[in-house]
Amino acid sequence: MEAFSHLGDVVSLANLAAMLLGIVVGLIIGAIPGLGPPMAIALMIPISFTWEPQTALIMMVATYAAGIYGGSFTAILLRAPGTSASAASAIEGFELTKRGKAIEAIRMSTFASVMGGLISGLVLLFLAPPLAKISLWFGPVEFFLVAILGLTAIAAVSFGALLRGLAAGMFGLFVSTIGVDTMTAFPRFTYGATGLLSGVGVLPAVIGLFAFAQALTLCEGSPHTNISGKSKLSWNIWPKFSEIMHCRWSLVRGWSTGLVMGMVPAAGASVAQWIVYSWEIQRGKPGDQFGKGEIKGLAATEGSNNGVTGTSLIPMFVLGIPGGISAAVILGALMIHGLQPGDTLFTKNPEVIYTVMWGFVLANILMGGIAAVLARTMAYSTLVPRGILAPVIMIFCVIGTFTASGNPWDVWIMVTFGFIGYFAEKYRFIPAGILLGIILGPIAEQGFRNTLVLSDGDLISYTATRPIAIVVIVMIIGALYFALKPKKWETAAETYDTQADEYAEGNDD
Amino acid sequence: MSMSKIRAERVTAIGMIVVAGFFITQSQNLPSTSGAFPKFTEFMIIALAGIMILRTFITRDEKLSGDVRFDFSYMGFKPTLVMIVAAFYIYAVFQVGFYASSIVFYFLVTYMTGIRNYKVMAIVASVLFPLMYVFFNIALGADLPKGILI
């Protein structure tokens, strides 16, 4: 097979050095809330101008994979997701950190992400051209339904506060309508504020709802205690076999969801983590502690995060359709180096494309070792007293938000969502629901309105002719049914509630 | 100060209805295609709030028993005070400059949370801010806000 004939090309000194550079830069920049993989990749483009195309692209894809994982560091350790793709991991990951299990969370996260990226990279390598056709099957109605499927996750992540969770989701959907309507060019709810014309960005919202709100929560209670309640950390950064076996099916669900959703342009990466998280909650068994630090929940979301990375590059390489912002930046890098995406890339430049794909696979393996050590170093932040950590996180939120967009309005939006997120968490309005609404609102609204146009108003007949849409509708009905069905672990968790409260009280002096 | 959870649920739901109702009136000024989705979300919020109120009359959910306590002592109000300081901080970032206002904000909030170990505060600041400058301004080339100071 042609792919194997280029395996040796990837292990040149230049390619390996570029890969390592991409991994380190991606991990560090991905960890800072607001910066993320697109910025990391964009920063690397100028330094790669004079490089060989495959070396440059290996660095870009390594940065992408590492950046996605890097966002999970701060999500797990500080509840400050570096990217919106890590928001779901922040829920269970940070709860594990609060229970003094930061290192366990990090090593499971590393394993899930590395394996997810590896499997995704192998799928990219061997199945890219045939799978690319799947991306073309998704039209407006499918995007709309995938967004609705993502929104059903709100019911699952409400953890017993269903009405409040749904209200939070509706609030998020409403917020997503602020700004200029892309179809009519009419401003909605901007009240003359020019900074609101472009709407409420996902990045300021995720930083505010999670990171800034968490910093405000850290201001409660004793300032001298730390997040984890521990005074030292273990160096056991490699997952135990028993831990992997405990989470094996969660990992499989995470990886498979990421692989499939990565091929859905635009919507896939945002939705994958929430779909698998709600799936995991629905599959919970008595004794599981979803919402209070369940390692299986973290394994699933982390598996899907990096499971998305390889397959999200398939539509970009094969069809020239970027699946997300990071893929769009990589597409730009591809064209800067004189390459055109599509079938010709595989026929005229197989030595480039296959080497890059092998580079992606190898980068995920190397990322494991580097990420584990880096994450262990970053875990020291959980030993810092809350009174000092809180303002530092807030300052990083401001700097990250401003650096990402250069727009002062985004900083104000971020802080506003910080206030909203703090009170939402306090009064059980589920910040994750608000975020889901903001992320999926534009996709849902755009998809719905485009569908109305394409179907001439006859939605049902139009949808009935599209098999993918019917499959997604069945999935939505199933997701709603299982989300509303009482879960076995929730009854057991009510007993744990008392224990968790006692632990929290004992932690605060 | 405390309030029964049932009353708190009703007050919250009424608040949601009022706010959603306000935005429904705002949505009336939008063209029909622009206003459809916002109105859908607003009506859904009102419907959910209605169910919340109804639930307080007809169910005996354990989660609605007991009281909600409001702590207006300094300890309970600390996060709200920090929010107020944060709002001034954001304003100052764009008027005074990012680093100058961040240093003041850092010391002020650390003091407000109750830390009194000034040596540790100073050591952290002396490491953190130069590192931040090197990383963001020099390495990333970020153009952070400047005002009358940096």
Side-chain angles (χ1 to χ4, degrees), chain A residues 178-475:
Chain A
I178 295 174
V180 171
D181 181 5
T182 50
M183 279 194 138
T184 61
F186 200 87
R188 296 188 291 194
F189 313 112
T190 58
Y191 301 105
T194 52
L196 290 178
L197 288 174
S198 53
V200 172
V202 170
L203 207 56
V206 74
I207 295 172
L209 285 169
F210 284 82
F212 201 89
Q214 179 56 34
L216 289 169
T217 306
L218 288 176
C219 293
E220 293 174 342
S222 168
H224 305 291
T225 56
N226 58 37
I227 294 172
S228 62
K230 290 203 161 178
S231 57
K232 58 180 182 173
L233 302 168
S234 82
W235 268 101
N236 197 358
I237 55 177
W238 309 110
K240 299 175 189 171
F241 184 71
S242 57
E243 290 173 345
I244 296 170
M245 289 307 289
H246 175 66
C247 299
R248 63 190 184 282
W249 294 118
S250 309
L251 290 165
V252 168
R253 283 190 282 272
W255 296 331
S256 54
T257 305
L259 286 178
V260 170
M261 297 308 295
M263 288 181 281
V264 179
S270 314
V271 171
Q273 53 173 325
W274 297 105
I275 290 176
V276 76
Y277 187 43
S278 64
W279 188 8
E280 208 50 39
I281 290 171
Q282 289 153 22
R283 301 272 319 176
K285 295 183 173 57
D288 288 345
Q289 293 159 13
F290 288 101
K292 305 260 182 231
E294 176 52 55
I295 194 78
K296 289 191 284 186
L298 179 66
T301 54
E302 285 295 290
S304 77
N305 274 354
N306 278 74
V308 152
T309 52
T311 48
S312 70
L313 295 176
I314 291 176
M316 188 271 290
F317 279 133
V318 182
L319 302 169
I321 304 171
I325 302 173
S326 299
V329 180
I330 295 173
L331 178 62
L334 197 74
M335 296 170 82
I336 284 170
H337 286 278
L339 299 166
Q340 287 295 327
D343 280 340
T344 52
L345 191 59
F346 290 82
T347 53
K348 290 190 178 162
N349 304 103
E351 73 287 355
V352 174
I353 190 62
Y354 285 115
T355 305
V356 171
M357 289 180 179
W358 277 117
F360 180 81
V361 171
L362 190 57
N364 275 284
I365 297 170
L366 289 178
M367 183 181 80
I370 299 170
V373 173
L374 203 61
R376 171 63 179 74
T377 310
M378 286 190 69
Y380 279 114
S381 60
T382 62
L383 303 182
V384 175
R386 294 174 185 221
I388 291 182
L389 195 58
V392 171
I393 291 175
M394 290 183 207
I395 291 169
F396 269 97
C397 288
V398 170
I399 199 173
T401 308
F402 186 79
T403 304
S405 66
N407 185 355
W409 275 97
D410 278 351
V411 180
W412 283 109
I413 289 170
M414 183 276 294
V415 171
T416 304
F417 273 97
F419 300 165
I420 291 172
Y422 172 74
F423 286 113
E425 185 72 29
K426 206 171 174 65
Y427 298 114
R428 304 190 75 196
F429 273 98
I430 318 298
I434 300 175
L435 182 66
L436 267 170
I438 293 172
I439 291 173
L440 298 175
I443 301 170
E445 186 184 12
Q446 191 91 333
F448 183 68
R449 289 163 84 175
N450 287 339
T451 304
L452 280 176
V453 169
L454 285 169
S455 65
D456 279 334
D458 189 6
L459 268 177
I460 294 174
S461 307
Y462 179 74
T463 307
T465 62
R466 301 184 69 88
I468 301 252
I470 294 170
V471 168
V472 179
I473 289 171
V474 170
M475 289 170 69

Side-chain angles (χ1 to χ4, degrees), chain B:
Chain B
M1 180 182 156
S2 66
M3 182 190 290
S4 69
K5 283 189 181 175
I6 286 180
R7 179 176 286 187
E9 186 87 345
R10 290 173 191 161
V11 167
T12 304
I14 289 169
M16 286 162 62
I17 291 170
V18 166
V19 174
F22 169 74
F23 280 106
I24 287 176
T25 62
Q26 299 293 297
S27 302
Q28 303 289 50
N29 300 326
L30 299 172
S32 61
T33 50
S34 286
F37 199 70
K39 279 184 202 158
F40 163 72
T41 63
E42 289 143 9
F43 280 117
M44 281 298 296
I45 289 173
I46 290 174
L48 288 165
I51 296 172
M52 282 168 70
I53 293 175
L54 198 64
R55 211 171 67 114
T56 62
F57 289 107
I58 63 174
T59 67
R60 288 184 188 175
D61 192 338
E62 274 181 17
K63 288 175 188 154
L64 289 178
S65 62
D67 288 348
V68 175
R69 284 190 179 75
F70 299 103
D71 184 0
F72 291 112
S73 66
Y74 177 72
M75 290 299 280
F77 217 54
K78 227 191 310 179
T80 309
L81 292 172
V82 171
M83 276 182 227
I84 296 169
V85 171
F88 282 106
Y89 161 58
I90 302 301
Y91 179 77
V93 162
F94 298 104
Q95 304 301 319
V96 179
F98 173 77
Y99 286 103
S101 40
S102 294
I103 290 170
V104 172
F105 177 75
Y106 163 77
F107 280 105
L108 187 55
V109 171
T110 314
Y111 185 85
M112 285 171 70
T113 59
I115 297 280
R116 294 291 182 267
N117 190 335
Y118 303 110
K119 189 172 158 190
V120 167
M121 286 159 69
I123 290 171
V124 170
S126 60
V127 170
L128 177 70
F129 288 103
L131 267 177
M132 217 184 263
Y133 183 84
V134 167
F135 184 78
F136 285 96
N137 287 65
I138 298 175
L140 294 185
D143 189 19
L144 293 175
K146 294 184 189 69
I148 52 179
L149 298 169
I150 58 159

